[in-house]
Amino acid sequence: MKHELVRFETRDAALDFAAKFVAGGLQRAIADRGRADFMTSGGSTPGPLFDRLSDWDLPWECVSVGLVDERWVPLDHDFSNEALVRTRLLKGTAGAAGLIPMKTVAATPRDAVPDRNAAYAPHCAPADVLLLGMGGDGHTASWFPGAKGLEMALTPADGETIAAIDATGCPGAGSNTQRLTLTGPAVTSARMALMLLFGDEKLDVLERALKSDPMDMPVRYAIDKLGPRLTIIWAP
């Protein structure tokens, strides 16, 4: 079965829907098993969603929040996904949630893989709610077309949860090319997933991705594997 694409006339309406979607998924998981795991992306798009969720009436102490991917930068760096989550989501009532960092004191992402795999695996088996984005090059998570480590990240030999990515030479990665990311199995096993897209350009990229090879536009891999568990939300 296919993913669902939900279109809204305004970004505020899309964000309101997204907040209810995420909160509802977390609430159901808590009701079912007493806890919930939320894996979220960074970047510019989720900030207003985090603001909405930060004061949502949930038992946030039962929620573990992890990252879909992370740039290998310090916490005080402008492009740290962890910093975004800490400052926009983990405040107010959501401040009671637990955070699973992805960046560590290890020298390189590859050095951090064993430790972060052990930390993330219990929370991605499967994750209850997953928030994805999509770049103009068709990447999601840190699955950049042409990146070193992409194939291993999508289909890890032993089903690992975390992979290192070297996106040197990949335009979509910008200057922060050293990354950790959730792997294909960790992303595509999620109980429910949301992809938040804004603008006509992103809709065009999505349409191209659906006709492309997953190695050329890796977001296709996530879309195909998640199927009906994925809801894509778009607004102009």
Side-chain angles (χ1 to χ4, degrees):
M1 292 177 64
K2 196 179 174 185
H3 64 276
E4 181 179 10
L5 174 61
V6 185
R7 300 172 187 243
F8 291 88
E9 293 185 0
T10 68
R11 296 189 181 187
D12 278 342
L15 288 163
D16 289 345
F17 179 90
K20 292 176 183 177
F21 182 99
V22 171
L26 297 177
Q27 187 68 66
R28 283 192 293 276
I30 293 168
D32 288 345
R33 56 192 183 87
R35 56 182 294 271
D37 294 307
F38 177 31
M39 298 293 127
T40 185
S41 296
S44 58
T45 302
L49 172 59
F50 293 162
D51 293 339
R52 285 164 166 78
L53 288 170
S54 65
D55 283 319
W56 207 278
D57 185 16
L58 278 175
W60 284 100
E61 67 277 6
C62 300
V63 179
S64 296
V65 178
L67 299 170
V68 169
D69 67 327
E70 180 63 287
R71 302 167 181 89
W72 209 246
V73 296
L75 186 58
D76 60 0
H77 194 283
D78 288 344
F79 292 113
S80 166
N81 287 341
E82 179 179 339
L84 175 70
V85 170
R86 285 185 180 277
T87 57
R88 301 288 291 270
L89 176 61
L90 300 182
K91 59 182 183 178
T93 57
L99 177 66
I100 314 162
M102 195 170 273
K103 172 69 167 65
T104 72
V105 296
T108 69
R110 188 169 299 280
D111 291 335
V113 166
D115 174 75
R116 291 300 83 193
N117 190 65
Y120 268 78
H123 301 278
C124 296
D128 296 296
V129 182
L130 183 87
L131 175 64
L132 294 173
M134 182 187 69
D137 59 352
H139 83 268
T140 193
S142 278
W143 304 346
F144 293 95
K148 297 175 184 175
L150 174 60
E151 187 171 358
M152 187 176 297
L154 293 181
T155 55
D158 296 316
E160 292 91 347
T161 300
I162 298 289
I165 289 286
D166 179 352
T168 301
C170 302
S175 59
N176 305 120
T177 58
Q178 304 305 305
R179 312 273 188 119
L180 278 184
T181 186
L182 292 185
T183 60
V187 167
T188 63
S189 64
R191 289 188 170 93
M192 57 188 292
L194 177 70
M195 186 178 292
L196 193 56
L197 306 178
F198 291 150
D200 291 335
E201 181 182 346
K202 288 294 180 75
L203 199 57
D204 291 342
V205 173
L206 176 63
E207 290 173 355
R208 285 192 285 113
L210 294 175
K211 301 173 184 176
S212 299
D213 185 280
M215 293 301 290
D216 295 330
M217 300 187 81
V219 69
R220 170 76 186 272
Y221 185 89
I223 293 170
D224 286 353
K225 294 288 186 180
L226 283 163
R229 289 174 289 124
L230 172 65
T231 299
I232 301 176
I233 295 176
W234 176 85

